Amino acid sequence: MYWAFSPWIKALRVYCNFPVIHGNEAQRTTAEIRSLVRDMRIFLRRLVSQSAKLMGATVVNHMQHILEKARNIRAIIFDVDGVLTDGSLYLTDTGEEIKAFNSQDGHGIKMLKSTGIGIAILTGRQSTCVDLKAKDWGVTLVYQGAKQKLPAFEALLEKLHLDGAACAYMGDDLIDLPVLLRCGLAITVPAAPPLVKKHAHYITRSEGGRGAVREVCEIIMQAQNTLEAHLETYLR
């Protein structure tokens, strides 16, 4: 086995100015290196295992923190572009704006709304298709064309008779920061800018327009113990 470690031994000898070794002494050195490699493997396995446990505990603790916040939520406000959609904007030749929505997100909104949680939409753009989808979801609180979102957010809180701590907000861009900083549960998506992620309590696993809203709806329902009972209605 000496040949397998000989390059390492030569390198160590050159680096540390070790003398040339032969025979039994070389065999002893080989055994020592084998023992060192074995110990290093054991150490690395333990290190990886401990790191995984620590990471797992951190994730669990973070999720518990999110669920605690979600228990107090009485209303949630959704941005549109990048949250309810993937952020893409389609324009027809006549200038009409078209957006693509996710059906599972829409059903998640209906599920959450059925538990008594208030639902609102707050977007900086203006689009007829948003009004149509909101009507389909049964959402009546729709604020479009809000270039400054904070005044609209404060107006919504007043209308709902809630304070910021009882309201969740889900946005994906810098324009959403003033609201994200003042709500009880600030949520964003993976594609959001770093500054937005920094100030969000929760970053969804799913992308905007591809299940992120459904994910959040189910988290709030889980936190408020309404998810399981709702899902059971589909099994009857």
Side-chain angles (χ1 to χ4, degrees):
M1 290 295 294
Y2 176 77
W3 62 269
F5 296 103
S6 60
W8 296 95
I9 294 171
K10 289 177 182 178
L12 284 169
R13 189 174 67 243
V14 172
Y15 182 75
C16 302
N17 197 25
F18 285 171
V20 177
I21 53 178
H22 300 284
N24 292 335
E25 187 177 355
Q27 292 178 357
R28 284 196 301 273
T29 302
T30 300
E32 289 171 359
I33 292 176
R34 268 206 305 266
S35 177
L36 177 62
V37 170
R38 184 177 63 252
D39 291 344
M40 283 298 295
R41 285 176 175 168
I42 293 171
F43 170 75
L44 288 172
R45 279 199 297 269
R46 288 176 178 172
L47 180 62
V48 169
S49 176
Q50 289 298 321
S51 297
K53 288 179 182 178
L54 287 172
M55 289 176 66
T58 300
V59 170
V60 169
N61 290 338
H62 177 65
M63 202 60 218
Q64 286 297 328
H65 178 64
I66 297 303
L67 290 172
E68 287 173 9
K69 284 184 169 293
R71 286 190 192 102
N72 301 318
I73 295 304
R74 294 295 171 262
I76 183 167
I77 304 169
F78 295 106
D79 178 28
V80 176
D81 300 301
V83 172
L84 283 163
T85 76
D86 64 4
S88 299
L89 297 173
Y90 303 93
L91 295 177
T92 66
D93 290 340
T94 59
E96 182 184 3
E97 190 172 283
I98 300 173
K99 305 177 191 289
F101 297 91
N102 184 286
S103 60
Q104 291 189 354
D105 284 345
H107 192 68
I109 289 173
K110 291 180 179 179
M111 287 168 55
L112 185 59
K113 186 174 181 293
S114 73
T115 69
I117 298 297
I119 310 289
I121 291 173
L122 175 56
T123 174
R125 301 182 69 86
Q126 188 79 39
S127 180
T128 303
C129 63
V130 172
D131 287 326
L132 292 173
K133 285 309 298 180
K135 184 178 180 180
D136 176 48
W137 298 328
V139 176
T140 58
L141 297 173
V142 181
Y143 287 69
Q144 294 203 69
K147 301 303 181 184
Q148 299 294 326
K149 293 193 172 183
L150 187 56
F153 173 67
E154 292 171 342
L156 268 168
L157 292 180
E158 186 175 351
K159 189 166 187 175
L160 293 167
H161 305 290
L162 295 173
D163 59 23
C167 188
Y169 181 78
M170 187 171 179
D172 74 310
D173 212 341
L174 300 175
I175 190 176
D176 300 300
L177 274 172
V179 180
L180 290 169
L181 292 170
R182 290 167 175 81
C183 67
L185 179 56
I187 308 161
T188 194
V189 294
L195 187 61
V196 175
K197 290 181 180 180
K198 178 181 178 181
H199 292 286
H201 297 125
Y202 181 71
I203 302 169
T204 61
R205 295 186 301 273
S206 302
E207 296 286 349
R210 287 177 168 78
V213 167
R214 176 65 167 267
E215 180 182 329
V216 170
C217 290
E218 292 192 1
I219 285 174
I220 295 173
M221 292 176 71
Q222 179 185 349
Q224 299 184 3
N225 297 317
T226 58
L227 179 61
E228 186 174 346
H230 188 89
L231 294 180
E232 284 179 356
T233 63
Y234 298 99
L235 300 175
R236 294 171 186 168

